[in-house]
Amino acid sequence: MRVFGIDPGCERTGYGCVETDGSHHRIVVWGAIRSPALASFPDKLLLIHSRLTGILDECRPDSAAIVEAGVPVFEYTPAEIKRAVVGYGRAEKPQVQQMVKLLLGLAEVPSPYDAADALAVAICHVHAQRPARAVGGGTPARSKATSWRHYRPLR
């Protein structure tokens, strides 16, 4: 499965695509789209849209977190992303970068922060899509939650 993550911003938008089997992640592409500082807001949005559309066409993800591209779209709060990647919802940006580096087997931490954050969004989505397991039996839980926001423990 390929997941495309986006960390939106009008000056710099981070992006990252991760391919995974659910437990092993491999980076496909990552980076940041920088908008000219003096460009008008509509021009910045057009540039970001054009670049993301091209990158999404190349990556062909199964899902994306944050941006619409003809694939299912999911949203996560910063705390949800940090909990999924680092294990702590108040983790600092360098901690997120380091865990993304470790999870993807990269030689260096991804930079700028926006790109690392986008990869963290994709990894968070992968973790959120794993089917829950019932204690003891190893069978899937009956919950229909599609994100952590909708999670309710089984009773």
Side-chain angles (χ1 to χ4, degrees), residues 43-148:
D43 287 343
K44 289 179 182 189
L45 290 178
L46 180 60
L47 172 70
I48 293 166
H49 178 273
S50 306
R51 294 280 312 278
L52 282 176
T53 300
I55 296 165
L56 285 163
D57 282 346
E58 290 174 22
C59 290
R60 303 211 145 310
D62 298 302
S63 60
I66 302 298
V67 97
E68 185 177 344
V71 295
V73 177
F74 301 86
E75 284 185 282
Y76 301 96
T77 66
E80 288 172 318
I81 295 164
K82 291 173 181 179
R83 257 191 317 274
V85 175
V86 178
Y88 176 60
R90 292 185 173 190
E92 299 293 327
K93 287 196 176 282
Q95 292 171 298
V96 172
Q97 277 185 303
Q98 191 63 29
M99 282 305 297
V100 167
K101 174 191 169 204
L102 292 172
L103 290 169
L104 296 174
L106 302 174
E108 298 177 14
V109 294
S111 89
Y113 288 124
D114 308 271
D117 290 348
L119 291 167
V121 170
I123 292 168
C124 173
H125 180 67
V126 168
H127 291 226
Q129 297 305 303
R130 288 185 181 162
R133 298 277 176 194
V135 177
T139 57
R142 287 176 283 168
S143 171
K144 298 281 186 187
T146 57
S147 81
W148 290 109

